[in-house]
Amino acid sequence: MSGLTRSSQVPYKRWKDTDIRVHEEQSGNNEPSNEGVCTIPKQADLEDSKTRSSGMSETFTVEEAVEAIGFGMFQWKLSMLTGVAWMADAMEMMLLSIAAPQLRCEWRLSSWKVAFITTLVFIGMMLSSSLWGNISDKYGRKVCLILCMVWTLYYGLLSAFAPVYGWILVLRGLVGFGLGGAPQSVTLYTEFLPVKTRGISIILLGVFWAVGAVFEVLLAMMIMPTLGWKWLLAFSTFPLVIFAASCCWLPESARFDVLRGREDKALNTLKQVAASNGSSMPTGRLISNTQTDRGSIRDLFIPEYRKTTLLIWFIWLCSAFSYYGLVLLTTELFQAGSPCSVTDNSSMEPQCNLECKYLTFRDYEDLLWTTFAEFPGILISVWMIDRIGRRKSMALCFLAFSLCILPLYVCTQRTLLTVFIFIARACITAGWQVAYVYTPEVFPTATRAIGIGTSSGMARVGALVTPFIAQVLLKTSVYLTLSVYLICCLLGTVASWALPMETTGRSLEESTKNTTEQKHMERPHGSETAETSSNTSP
């Protein structure tokens, strides 16, 4: 500011219920004049003099507020509520593989008809994922999450009363449509997390997925032998009931409110978070970036994000294709008794024997053991994610999954089969959890929800195809089925390694730089822009 004549007006500051307007005047010889200066109490005078001497006004961004508040009771409560939504998603997915054998026998369904039930759920999720992401970016994370969870609860209960095959197709498809919005719980959760704990916190959110999957198997062990699949579908909506009863507490993202120009509402939310955590807010006033065109898919393809978007989509597709494929393969192979039945002619390829059989208690036990693989998968991802980075973690998990598929080409005993499936499921779970961390970190707030939504949509493309591989193609060729999953995960390894950006330790961006309008920035002429937040541009 040396050698410059400048007059600026600093906004009102409140001191003991008195609004005071402070003016600054500087002459050309750098000597401050006393003209227009108000007398204020000593403490405030000292604070303002420090601010003026630094050449900038006291301001802070949402990112800085979240960092200052830190991780505390508020994040624990939010993790519980969003985790319930995650748990509900896992249970709805697990019951597809559990109910399929009983539906096949009860309604005399062919393999492709059983696979089509699962596929229709994923079609619903694929069609709705981008829609829910668009709603989240335009109308808010809270509105989106409540709508999709209530939708899933309603049609989940109705599907328990499906009288015939046609009705189960329609109703489960509508359940899938609602589940397409479940990943938005990660969007909301991410935007309240400080950088230091973000990766581990999102990974640990996957514990709710694992608990939901295990709980679904235990529920099936108690209900299926006596009450049947309809009661299983009804009881599987229990987490959704909990969410619906508790959603009134759910906060809106302060980052979303700021981007929409609602600074007052964002500030109130941040104050509530600070009070809940027993922390203090940064001093000064909140500044914001606004972006009018939010939730646009075309923003995912601007030059800065085009390659990243395409690679992330492919990684999500491979993750879902492999994960759900392994879940479906588990029940199919356990029903067959072994991976294959080898004939005397060694030149003949092994064939799976998939007759109409109900799942036995031993089948449920082995399914439970393989489902427990979710927990070591989460621990693996927690250990890796900050040590070797997001990209290398995903690549390593895909590669490990491929190596675990190789022993299944040999006719192994059931115990070894369970071990290899356990390890493979832990690896693919870890890799997908890291993708859930990486995706909201790499996209800015303006397109974060649509980025997760479209990625989730691509995952559903892989998931809707996988039943025809794991349940239909398996009946024809074990070798060909395993080769499809092996090649898919090898390609996923390459895609993860090729990602252009590592997000470990990186602040969340707020808006795309080509459409950003920063508001309320009051800096002296000639001052350095050191205070400019990293969220101004990607």
Side-chain angles (χ1 to χ4, degrees):
M1 294 178 60
S2 177
L4 296 178
T5 301
R6 177 184 174 272
S7 66
S8 63
Q9 191 176 54
V10 180
Y12 284 108
K13 293 181 181 248
R14 183 172 296 276
W15 178 264
K16 294 185 179 179
D17 300 327
T18 302
D19 287 329
I20 302 173
R21 186 186 300 273
V22 180
H23 297 272
E24 292 178 321
E25 294 287 346
Q26 279 195 335
S27 60
N29 60 3
N30 296 330
E31 290 295 325
S33 70
N34 294 326
E35 181 181 352
V37 179
C38 300
T39 302
I40 56 178
K42 280 188 175 181
Q43 184 176 351
D45 198 4
L46 289 173
E47 291 176 356
D48 282 347
S49 64
K50 289 179 181 179
T51 300
R52 288 194 297 270
S53 65
S54 65
M56 59 186 70
S57 61
E58 285 187 283
T59 58
F60 64 91
T61 62
V62 176
E63 179 74 24
E64 291 166 343
V66 170
E67 293 297 322
I69 294 169
F71 190 98
M73 183 58 65
F74 175 86
Q75 281 80 8
W76 281 114
K77 291 179 182 178
L78 185 60
S79 65
M80 292 295 174
L81 190 52
T82 55
V84 167
W86 215 227
M87 183 178 175
D89 191 2
M91 291 179 66
E92 293 293 336
M93 292 296 98
M94 276 300 299
L95 70 82
L96 294 173
S97 62
I98 294 172
Q102 190 165 13
L103 287 172
R104 174 187 292 162
C105 296
E106 189 172 316
W107 286 346
R108 302 296 178 185
L109 302 177
S110 59
S111 295
W112 74 267
K113 284 187 176 181
V114 174
F116 194 61
I117 298 174
T118 305
T119 296
L120 207 60
V121 175
F122 290 123
I123 288 176
M125 298 173 78
M126 179 191 68
L127 294 176
S128 68
S129 293
S130 297
L131 175 63
W132 290 120
N134 189 273
I135 291 173
S136 183
D137 276 333
K138 287 188 175 181
Y139 303 105
R141 282 66 163 125
K142 177 179 178 178
V143 172
C144 170
L145 195 54
I146 292 175
L147 281 176
C148 72
M149 290 294 104
V150 172
W151 176 291
T152 306
L153 171 61
Y154 178 72
Y155 288 105
L157 287 173
L158 282 183
S159 63
F161 299 96
V164 293
Y165 177 71
W167 273 108
I168 198 72
L169 286 179
V170 173
L171 293 172
R172 295 311 294 177
L174 290 171
V175 168
F177 190 91
L179 288 175
Q184 298 308 324
S185 61
V186 179
T187 305
L188 178 63
Y189 187 53
T190 300
E191 293 180 347
F192 281 104
L193 294 173
V195 172
K196 186 177 181 180
T197 59
R198 187 190 304 138
I200 293 178
S201 298
I202 298 175
I203 292 292
L204 292 179
L205 193 63
V207 171
F208 288 93
W209 178 282
V211 170
V214 170
F215 183 68
E216 185 66 26
V217 178
L218 293 173
L219 197 63
M221 292 175 70
M222 295 184 293
I223 291 176
M224 289 290 280
T226 55
L227 300 177
W229 62 269
K230 290 187 176 183
W231 282 98
L232 179 64
L233 264 62
F235 282 114
S236 296
T237 62
F238 178 68
L240 293 168
V241 174
I242 296 176
F243 181 89
S246 309
C247 65
C248 58
W249 176 84
L250 198 68
E252 183 53 87
S253 168
R255 295 178 188 271
F256 172 80
D257 283 332
V258 157
L259 201 67
R260 197 172 180 182
R262 301 186 300 201
E263 294 87 356
D264 292 341
K265 189 174 181 181
L267 188 59
N268 288 334
T269 300
L270 291 172
K271 287 179 179 179
Q272 291 172 10
V273 176
S276 180
N277 288 1
S279 304
S280 57
M281 288 278 292
T283 57
R285 84 185 174 287
L286 179 65
I287 59 173
S288 63
N289 296 326
T290 61
Q291 185 164 335
T292 55
D293 54 338
R294 299 178 302 273
S296 176
I297 294 180
R298 69 174 178 269
D299 288 335
L300 301 178
F301 291 94
I302 63 175
E304 290 86 352
Y305 293 109
R306 186 182 300 118
K307 181 179 178 181
T308 300
T309 297
L310 294 175
L311 288 174
I312 286 177
W313 282 3
F314 184 73
I315 289 169
W316 279 66
L317 186 149
C318 290
S319 297
F321 179 80
S322 304
Y323 176 86
Y324 292 117
L326 190 64
V327 171
L328 296 174
L329 273 174
T330 301
T331 54
E332 297 292 348
L333 293 176
F334 284 166
Q335 271 195 299
S338 65
C340 52
S341 55
V342 182
T343 62
D344 292 334
N345 188 352
S346 59
S347 63
M348 295 182 64
E349 195 175 286
Q351 306 290 323
C352 277
N353 181 21
L354 302 179
E355 299 176 357
C356 176
K357 295 180 180 178
Y358 290 99
L359 291 176
T360 64
F361 187 80
R362 187 186 177 189
D363 292 331
Y364 285 121
E365 282 185 328
D366 289 339
L367 183 60
L368 185 62
W369 279 113
T370 57
T371 305
F372 273 122
E374 303 276 346
F375 294 101
I378 292 169
L379 294 177
I380 290 170
S381 54
V382 166
W383 183 85
M384 289 191 306
I385 192 166
D386 288 326
R387 283 177 171 82
I388 66 175
R390 278 59 161 157
R391 295 184 302 171
K392 291 180 181 178
S393 295
M394 287 187 285
L396 186 60
C397 289
F398 276 125
L399 182 61
F401 180 90
S402 302
L403 294 177
C404 290
I405 289 292
L406 290 175
L408 300 184
Y409 281 86
V410 182
C411 295
T412 60
Q413 296 178 350
R414 180 161 177 147
T415 302
L416 290 177
L417 172 66
T418 304
V419 170
F420 287 128
I421 290 177
F422 181 95
I423 299 172
R425 185 159 174 175
C427 292
I428 197 62
T429 296
W432 203 359
Q433 288 297 325
V434 177
Y436 265 106
V437 176
Y438 182 85
T439 305
E441 288 182 336
V442 80
F443 291 116
T445 301
T447 55
R448 184 168 297 125
I450 194 67
I452 291 182
T454 53
S455 300
S456 179
M458 291 303 297
R460 308 316 169 188
V461 172
L464 69 88
V465 173
T466 203
F468 294 99
I469 306 299
Q471 293 177 317
V472 179
L473 182 61
L474 182 68
K475 189 175 182 180
T476 303
S477 171
V478 175
Y479 289 160
L480 184 58
T481 300
L482 296 176
S483 298
V484 171
Y485 291 106
L486 178 65
I487 294 172
C488 176
C489 282
L490 289 176
L491 293 175
T493 303
V494 175
S496 301
W497 195 265
L499 285 168
M501 186 186 302
E502 177 57 64
T503 61
T504 304
R506 183 171 176 261
S507 298
L508 293 182
E509 309 297 342
E510 299 300 339
S511 54
T512 52
K513 68 180 181 181
N514 58 333
T515 53
T516 299
E517 175 190 356
Q518 187 153 336
K519 296 169 59 179
H520 307 306
M521 295 299 293
E522 300 179 4
R523 291 192 176 87
H525 293 293
S527 64
E528 294 297 322
T529 57
E531 186 184 330
T532 303
S533 172
S534 63
N535 58 20
T536 304
S537 61

